Amino acid sequence: MRDIVYPPVVLTAKTLFKVLNFKFQMTGTEHIPRSGAAVLAVNHVSYIDFVLGGFGAQPSKRLVRFMAKEAIFRNRIAGPLMRGMHHVAVDRGAGSASYREALRLLGEGEVVGVFPEATISRSFELKEFKTGTVRMAAAAGVPVIPMVLWGTQRIMTKDHPRDFSRGKTIAITVGEPITVTREDDPTEATTHLRTTMAGMLDRTIRAYPEIEQPPGSWWLPASYGGSAPTPEQAEILDQEELRRRTERG
């Protein structure tokens, strides 16, 4: 696939990371294959997760094609960039077209990035996973590579102001490939993926610098002593957001 837009965007992002003095904790990036197709499953805590998730594939010199909501593609600035990087627009009302496009990219040997939670987690713990991630991998005959991001929520997430202050730690943890076949039960395979990523998230949170996430921090899950909403409280907030969006039409 010809990439004209993606490389300069990556260079710009890396320059910005240096300006912001991000400190990266990256483990397991060798699990992302240097060639061949794979589905990259990433947790979702921030609006910029696709940027940092893509950065996690850079040690393997891969460009990830993320599946992202269609509204981003309608933005006059972000839209041309998203299309130029060959990301996949997802219309939640008609997802079959985006699914077929993702399968086409996998068939061409690309790495396709997916957020199994579908939306940002306000609790910063894992939400329930959709089965589409493992179904796609099984249909394409490719592995699922689990990835966990941590610290990105401190920069730009729901219900909090943007914070581009310097010196934040960004943790990126990549797990071993998970094989999924057409014979596997999608629900069981999805549960296995979520359990695997929950363990990765726990280890990543515990390895994160304590000085950057003291007890009571809004970006730290309640179960870890933070003041983020519990998963139950976050679900209520999600439902309220959905109601407001529906009322707006």
Side-chain angles (χ1 to χ4, degrees):
M1 180 178 293
R2 189 181 182 191
D3 280 294
I4 298 175
V5 175
Y6 216 142
V9 169
V10 170
L11 181 60
T12 300
K14 288 180 177 179
T15 301
L16 182 60
F17 297 161
K18 289 182 179 179
V19 171
L20 294 174
N21 192 31
F22 284 169
K23 294 168 288 186
F24 286 95
Q25 289 183 339
M26 299 174 66
T27 59
T29 55
E30 70 278 2
H31 294 309
I32 298 177
R34 290 183 171 271
S35 63
V39 174
L40 186 67
V42 188
N43 69 318
H44 207 2
V45 293
S46 168
Y47 289 113
I48 59 171
D49 285 338
F50 72 96
V51 178
L52 277 305
F55 183 74
Q58 282 296 291
S60 293
K61 302 185 185 303
R62 300 304 300 272
L63 299 176
V64 183
R65 319 298 173 175
F66 277 96
M67 301 186 74
K69 61 182 182 180
E70 190 266 342
I72 301 175
F73 290 76
R74 294 199 304 268
N75 182 280
R76 64 186 183 86
I77 297 175
L81 290 175
M82 295 293 283
R83 286 187 289 273
M85 290 184 282
H86 305 290
H87 293 313
V88 181
V90 178
D91 183 347
R92 290 173 184 166
S96 59
S98 58
Y99 183 80
R100 290 193 300 271
E101 175 63 10
L103 286 179
R104 183 187 70 79
L105 290 170
L106 290 169
E108 294 180 357
E110 299 287 339
V111 176
V112 173
V114 180
F115 298 107
E117 299 163 277
T119 60
I120 289 175
S121 170
R122 284 182 159 97
S123 72
F124 308 125
E125 298 190 56
L126 297 182
K127 295 165 65 71
E128 290 303 312
F129 280 16
K130 309 297 184 183
T131 60
T133 301
V134 299
R135 290 178 185 275
M136 183 189 306
V142 303
V144 177
I145 312 294
M147 173 185 282
V148 160
L149 303 175
W150 191 248
T152 60
Q153 74 274 26
R154 298 175 60 195
I155 303 166
M156 188 187 301
T157 193
K158 289 184 175 181
D159 306 329
H160 295 278
R162 300 174 184 180
D163 181 3
F164 288 96
S165 57
R166 303 177 72 249
K168 293 182 178 64
T169 295
I170 304 297
I172 303 174
T173 304
V174 184
E176 296 182 1
I178 297 173
T179 300
V180 185
T181 69
R182 293 177 183 270
E183 287 71 38
D184 292 326
D185 179 82
T187 300
E188 292 181 2
T190 299
T191 298
H192 174 63
L193 174 63
R194 187 179 184 279
T195 300
T196 299
M197 291 179 64
M200 292 167 55
L201 179 60
D202 177 69
R203 293 191 296 273
T204 303
I205 293 175
R206 295 183 187 281
Y208 198 79
E210 291 184 12
I211 194 172
E212 292 190 50
Q213 55 179 21
S217 299
W218 66 258
W219 56 83
L220 188 63
S223 60
Y224 289 81
S227 58
T230 64
E232 294 75 21
Q233 292 169 335
E235 178 62 26
I236 293 173
L237 293 172
D238 288 345
Q239 291 302 319
E240 291 176 351
E241 179 186 32
L242 179 60
R243 177 182 55 79
R244 292 192 299 269
R245 188 185 304 130
T246 301
E247 290 175 352
R248 290 196 301 266

